[in-house]
Amino acid sequence: MDWLLVPFGVSFVERALWAGVLVSVICALAGTWVVLRGMAFLTDAMSHGMLPGVAIASVLGGDLLLGAALSAGAMAAGVSALDRSRWLSRDTGIGLLFVGMLATGVIVVSHSKSFAVDLTGFLFGDVLAVTDGDLVRLAIALVVAVVVSVAAYRPFLALTFDPRKAHTLGMRPRLAGLLMTGLVTLAMVMCFQVVGTLLVFGLLIAPPAAATLWANRVPLVMAGAAAFGAASTVLGLLASWHWGTAAGASIAATSVALFFLSALLSALRDRGRALITRAEHVSKVEEPVA
């Protein structure tokens, strides 16, 4: 069991583990709505849109998380503005903003003396460099995410499955949409340090997508997503320790691998159920009439 326990006996790996678990729960709360509402492309664009703010904050010596939050907010505002455009489709607008923000971030980072190191850290994160202060901020962010998720659960649910009914019931779908976007932005910003701007999408999407294959109620999907995310963190850190791979990328890749494994097992389950149902139907048809 040394291969399993020894890595987490090291202080920086233990902090990385706690950071990954906290981020997994935050991403489960936000990512479930992203998956159910089909917001994957928008979320991917917003995750890359954080790079300019992070890069500018780094160059100016400011707070990277604040830079990421401001940049993601600007990206969300830009998407909202383009939504009202009659001459540009939503997907085209998001794609243009996505490329523009990513390119701007790379240009800003290129002015840094440590271009390669900075860009690698921004894109892929550095979960092994998480500090105790970062853990405190993650814990506070988790509390905020839980409060928003509980308080806005019914409006989020109505907005996801029947926006017109949400408006009829007076649940203020536009406000609910803004809160949901804020929750997703919070998850992406807090996830940034763990897996970087390039891999945020994997940890935010893969665990909830895997959980939807096994649960049909939103709270259960969230719980399953948190479990898948935590498992991805543990397995990713173990892979990083034993094989010398990048920790953040290992966590993200593991989350995607667990999704495909979950999809395979789910398909086998459904096939087994279909065979059992077919066998029962055949046995009833062949039953002799008394």
Side-chain angles (χ1 to χ4, degrees):
M1 293 293 289
D2 286 348
W3 67 274
L4 177 62
L5 299 177
V6 168
F8 299 111
V10 181
S11 59
F12 65 85
V13 180
E14 183 182 6
R15 286 194 297 271
L17 173 63
W18 281 111
V21 170
L22 289 171
V23 164
S24 294
V25 180
I26 296 172
C27 286
L29 295 173
T32 297
W33 300 114
V34 172
V35 171
L36 294 178
R37 286 201 69 196
M39 298 165 57
F41 182 45
L42 171 61
T43 304
D44 186 31
M46 287 179 63
S47 67
H48 291 77
M50 290 190 296
L51 184 59
V54 174
I56 293 172
S58 177
V59 171
L60 298 179
D63 189 294
L64 298 186
L65 290 182
L66 177 60
L70 292 175
S71 189
M75 180 73 180
V79 171
S80 178
L82 288 175
D83 270 348
R84 294 190 289 270
S85 172
R86 296 182 179 180
W87 51 271
L88 198 64
S89 70
R90 176 182 172 85
D91 286 349
T92 302
I94 292 174
L96 290 171
L97 284 173
F98 160 62
V99 175
M101 295 287 276
L102 183 61
T104 300
V106 174
I107 290 171
V108 173
V109 179
S110 66
H111 285 281
S112 171
K113 295 180 180 179
S114 53
F115 169 69
V117 175
D118 289 343
L119 185 60
T120 300
F122 296 159
L123 293 179
F124 303 109
D126 192 3
V127 65
L128 298 179
V130 168
T131 65
D132 291 334
D134 294 327
L135 292 179
V136 171
R137 289 201 284 191
L138 283 171
I140 294 173
L142 176 57
V143 172
V144 173
V146 170
V147 170
V148 171
S149 297
V150 172
Y153 176 75
R154 289 186 63 196
F156 283 0
L157 196 64
L159 179 65
T160 299
F161 295 105
D162 196 342
R164 286 179 296 181
K165 187 174 182 180
H167 182 75
T168 303
L169 295 174
M171 290 187 176
R172 305 178 70 181
R174 180 167 295 183
L175 177 59
L178 290 174
L179 282 174
M180 188 180 291
T181 301
L183 179 62
V184 173
T185 302
L186 173 67
M188 290 190 299
V189 169
M190 301 315 297
C191 195
F192 147 72
Q193 190 168 7
V194 175
V195 293
T197 60
L198 195 62
L199 301 175
V200 167
F201 184 70
L203 202 56
L204 191 65
I205 299 298
T212 56
L213 299 172
W214 300 94
N216 55 11
R217 294 180 59 195
V218 172
L220 293 179
V221 172
M222 290 179 173
F228 275 112
S232 300
T233 299
V234 173
L235 295 175
L237 288 174
L238 285 173
S240 174
W241 177 273
H242 291 294
W243 296 336
T245 57
S250 298
I251 292 172
T254 302
S255 69
V256 175
L258 287 180
F259 164 76
F260 284 112
L261 176 61
S262 179
L264 175 61
L265 294 175
S266 176
L268 292 174
R269 176 203 60 191
D270 294 341
R271 182 174 178 80
R273 287 177 177 175
L275 290 174
I276 292 173
T277 302
R278 183 178 178 182
E280 290 176 348
H281 177 72
V282 169
S283 65
K284 286 181 180 180
V285 170
E286 293 179 349
E287 250 180 32
V289 179

